[in-house]
């Protein structure tokens, strides 16, 4: 896995998805998190950030899916300019990836991640509002409590613009509607009265740039919200929540499949290790037996040499004549 990440960071072409899948099946989630978080390029880009910026969403999904609930450190990594993976996913307009990131970060850190500011004070919601991506605006807001939405819409850029300002400035009427329906009606007037460093409210920005539909929408929000609008907003939120629930189940199933594959691999590795140990023990026992046989053979060879020497001397003795006197008496024994 480490080699794949390093090669991916160095490369600029299309990634080898087959190799990535194979590497993931043999890597524990904790090990994967450490590698993806610590290995970076000269601008602090992780493999995840590069995958998003290079338009390789499959790589981003494969890297994030096993890390649900443990990837906070990775997701809060900033590159030059202060952008996080969530900033990049929003800029790319990849709603599925935005959803995956929000499912991957721990629940207690979700608001904090969405509220992270880049160098210009832009949050992920500010980026979505400026892009006019209503689906991503909804995805970000539906993941938060009402209090957190109110807090998020209060965040300003270094030019004192809120997300409402950025949407109004570019005439993104649908995105404005989504943001306004996500907070209590009693809070709307306060947000519409916030002024940027040009001393303009969202409505004044829309009027200044001549966005007629946006102007009409913002003016309508200065009047009491109609019951039909509230009902439509509730229906929309319910649909988004159901979609979020289904996505959560899908991601959980993917994670379980990956974990099951990893467990099977670990079991096979353990069985292989046991077999290797058994073969090692058998080889060592065989070597000990061979050494013992060699020692026995050497001893037998030595004993045989001694016996042959004795037989040789006996043979000489038996075949050596003795000296006798005239009477035939032996005068002396032969030597040896």
């Amino acid at each position: 896995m480490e080699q794949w990440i390093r090669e991916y960071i160095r490369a600029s072409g299309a990634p080898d998805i087959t190799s990535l899948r194979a590497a993931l099946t043999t890597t524990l989630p904790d090990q994967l998190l450490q590698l993806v978080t610590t290995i970076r390029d000269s601008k602090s880009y992780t493999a995840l950030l590069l995958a998003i910026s290079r338009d390789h969403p499959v790589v981003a999904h494969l890297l994030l899916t096993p890390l649900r609930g443990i990837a906070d450190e990775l997701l809060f990594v900033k590159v030059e300019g202060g952008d996080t993976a969530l900033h990049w996913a929003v800029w790319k307009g990849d709603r599925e990836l935005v959803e995956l990131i929000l499912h991957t970060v721990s629940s207690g850190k979700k608001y904090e991640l969405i509220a992270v500011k880049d160098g210009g004070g832009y949050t992920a919601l500010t980026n979505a509002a400026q892009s006019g991506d209503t689906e991503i605006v909804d995805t970000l807001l539906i993941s938060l409590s009402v209090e957190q939405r109110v807090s998020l819409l209060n965040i300003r850029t270094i030019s004192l613009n809120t997300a409402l300002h950025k949407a109004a400035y570019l005439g993104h009427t649908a995105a404005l509607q989504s943001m306004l329906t996500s907070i209590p009606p009693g809070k709307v007037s306060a947000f519409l009265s916030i002024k940027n460093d040009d001393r303009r409210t969202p409505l004044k920005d829309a009027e200044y740039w001549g966005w007629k539909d946006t102007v009409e929408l913002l003016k309508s929000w200065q009047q009491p919200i109609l019951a039909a609008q509230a009902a439509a907003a509730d229906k929309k939120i319910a649909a988004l929540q159901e979609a979020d629930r289904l996505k959560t189940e899908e991601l959980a199933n993917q994670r379980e499949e990956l974990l099951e594959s990893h467990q099977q691999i670990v079991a096979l590795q353990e069985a292989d290790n046991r077999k290797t140990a058994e073969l090692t023990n058998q080889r060592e026992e065989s070597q000990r037996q061979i050494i013992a046989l060699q020692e026995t053979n050497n001893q037998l060879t030595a004993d045989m040499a001694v016996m042959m020497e004795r037989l040789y001397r006996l043979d000489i003795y038996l075949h050596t004549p003795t000296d006798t006197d005239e009477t035939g008496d032996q005068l002396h024994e032969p030597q040896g």
Side-chain angles (χ1 to χ4, degrees):
M1 191 69 222
E2 178 177 354
Q3 180 181 358
W4 191 96
I5 291 174
R6 292 190 184 280
E7 290 178 355
Y8 181 71
I9 287 176
R10 287 195 300 268
S12 58
D16 186 345
I17 301 300
T18 301
S19 296
L20 173 57
R21 292 183 188 276
L24 284 171
T25 59
T26 58
T27 306
L28 289 169
D30 288 343
Q31 294 172 333
L32 173 63
L33 176 61
Q34 181 181 11
L35 292 172
V36 180
T37 303
T38 57
I39 301 175
R40 309 182 191 181
D41 69 3
S42 59
K43 295 183 179 180
S44 292
Y45 276 74
T46 62
L48 174 63
L49 282 160
L50 286 173
I52 301 172
S53 63
R54 290 173 176 174
D55 293 318
H56 298 155
V58 175
V59 174
H61 278 256
L62 288 173
L63 291 175
L64 278 180
T65 298
L67 302 179
R68 185 174 182 184
I70 63 172
D72 291 355
E73 181 181 358
L74 172 64
L75 294 175
F76 279 88
V77 170
K78 289 185 175 183
V79 297
E80 290 183 355
D83 293 306
T84 64
L86 184 58
H87 282 98
W88 267 106
V90 172
W91 273 126
K92 291 292 184 177
D94 192 331
R95 181 179 58 82
E96 289 187 0
L97 185 54
V98 170
E99 290 178 344
L100 178 57
I101 290 173
L102 295 179
H103 283 296
T104 303
V105 71
S106 59
S107 58
K109 292 287 187 177
K110 191 169 295 185
Y111 169 77
E112 185 178 343
L113 181 62
I114 297 174
V116 170
K117 293 183 178 183
D118 65 10
Y122 283 63
T123 66
L125 180 64
T126 316
N127 285 350
Q130 180 165 302
S131 299
D133 196 321
T134 307
E135 288 188 344
I136 291 182
V137 167
D138 290 338
T139 299
L140 294 171
L141 292 175
I142 199 65
S143 66
L144 304 175
S145 67
V146 173
E147 293 76 11
Q148 289 172 333
R149 295 174 201 162
V150 170
S151 177
L152 189 63
L153 287 171
N154 263 315
I155 295 176
R156 304 192 191 191
T157 67
I158 58 175
S159 299
L160 302 182
N161 287 302
T162 64
L164 293 173
H165 279 93
K166 300 307 294 185
Y169 173 82
L170 293 168
H172 297 314
T173 307
L176 272 170
Q177 176 75 351
S178 288
M179 288 185 282
L180 291 171
T181 56
S182 72
I183 59 176
K187 300 284 186 180
V188 171
S189 60
F191 283 108
L192 294 182
S193 65
I194 295 175
K195 296 180 180 181
N196 58 21
D197 60 0
D198 289 326
R199 308 300 298 169
R200 291 199 291 262
T201 64
L203 175 59
K204 292 299 180 182
D205 260 343
E207 289 176 336
Y208 182 83
W209 293 104
W211 303 111
K212 293 182 179 180
D213 291 342
T214 305
V215 169
E216 291 178 4
L217 172 69
L218 291 172
K219 285 183 175 180
S220 71
W221 275 95
Q222 291 178 339
Q223 303 171 358
I225 297 178
L226 300 177
Q229 290 178 313
D234 289 342
K235 183 178 180 180
K236 183 178 182 179
I237 289 173
L240 289 170
Q241 287 175 331
E242 176 62 15
D244 182 74
R245 183 188 67 78
L246 294 174
K247 190 67 176 180
T248 300
E249 291 180 357
E250 179 184 352
L251 291 171
N253 291 335
Q254 291 176 356
R255 178 177 172 80
E256 288 177 0
E257 290 174 359
L258 284 171
L259 288 175
E260 182 179 351
S261 297
H262 178 75
Q263 289 169 355
Q264 292 174 351
I265 290 171
V266 170
L268 289 173
Q269 289 175 335
E270 291 176 349
D272 182 68
N273 291 338
R274 287 194 298 270
K275 190 65 177 178
T276 301
E278 291 175 3
L279 292 173
T280 300
N281 291 335
Q282 292 175 1
R283 185 171 58 251
E284 291 175 352
E285 180 61 27
S286 297
Q287 290 174 343
R288 286 194 293 269
Q289 292 175 356
I290 290 170
I291 292 171
L293 289 171
Q294 289 175 336
E295 291 176 350
T296 301
N297 183 65
N298 293 338
Q299 184 62 47
L300 288 172
T301 301
D303 292 345
M304 183 66 73
V306 172
M307 183 174 291
M308 292 299 295
E309 175 66 20
R310 289 178 179 177
L311 289 172
Y312 175 73
R313 292 175 62 188
L314 179 60
D315 183 66
I316 293 175
Y317 173 77
L318 293 174
H319 291 84
T320 300
T322 59
D323 295 330
T324 59
D325 59 13
E326 294 179 354
T327 62
D329 294 331
Q330 185 173 318
L331 297 176
H332 58 80
E333 295 288 341
Q335 299 296 318

